């Protein structure tokens, strides 16, 4: 399925910005436009300006700290040592706390079973 003109322009601009970042070059409207022109592509004039202003100073955070919402996926990586060699303690404490919570949930005291008589169904 072919891309629309807007999709093409957006994709070209994104790829140019990422290529500039990867190459350690400054990400500006002029550098994005120059790279797009060098690849033989053409985009509407507002795309490089829009992306350069949006990504100014935060492209590294966006790449390194992916935190898009949505989906019901599992939790991310919670371990690893932080700066200064710390980090393992907090994870161990959290794991211990989770185990205690599980144990509390498992305690099924109350005397009722699925038959409602507390006897365990020995009338078979």
């Amino acid at each position: 399925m072919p891309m629309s003109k807007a999709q093409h322009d957006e994709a070209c601009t994104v790829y140019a910005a990422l290529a500039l970042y990867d190459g350690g070059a400054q990400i500006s409207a002029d550098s994005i436009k120059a790279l797009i022109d060098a690849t033989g592509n053409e985009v509407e004039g507002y795309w490089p300006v829009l992306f350069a202003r949006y990504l100014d100073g935060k492209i590294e955070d966006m790449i390194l700290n992916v935190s898009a919402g949505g989906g019901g996926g599992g939790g991310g990586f919670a371990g690893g040592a932080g700066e200064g060699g710390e980090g393992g303690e907090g994870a161990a404490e959290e794991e211990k706390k989770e185990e205690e919570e599980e144990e509390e949930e498992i305690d099924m005291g109350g005397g009722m079973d699925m038959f409602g008589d507390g006897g365990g169904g020995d009338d078979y």
Side-chain angles (χ1 to χ4, degrees), residues 28-108:
S28 66
D30 291 335
S31 60
I32 292 172
K33 177 78 171 120
L35 185 55
I36 291 171
D37 290 343
T39 62
N41 287 285
E42 292 180 18
V43 299
E44 294 291 330
Y46 64 88
W47 284 105
V49 175
L50 180 74
F51 271 81
R53 287 185 181 168
Y54 180 73
L55 297 173
D56 186 32
K58 59 184 170 183
I59 188 169
E60 188 165 339
D61 282 341
M62 292 177 71
I63 292 172
L64 298 177
N65 300 317
V66 177
S67 60
F77 176 71
E83 290 184 33
E86 58 187 54
E89 299 170 13
E93 288 178 19
E94 186 174 323
E95 186 174 323
K96 184 176 179 182
K97 184 177 179 181
E98 286 179 16
E99 285 180 21
E100 289 175 10
E101 287 176 11
E102 286 178 19
E103 289 174 11
E104 290 173 13
E105 292 173 11
I106 294 173
D107 185 13
M108 302 280 287

Side-chain angles (χ1 to χ4, degrees), residues 11-34:
C12 283
T13 309
V14 168
Y15 294 143
L18 288 172
L20 289 167
Y21 170 78
D22 193 46
Q26 180 183 3
I27 299 173
S28 66
D30 291 335
S31 60
I32 292 172
K33 177 78 171 120

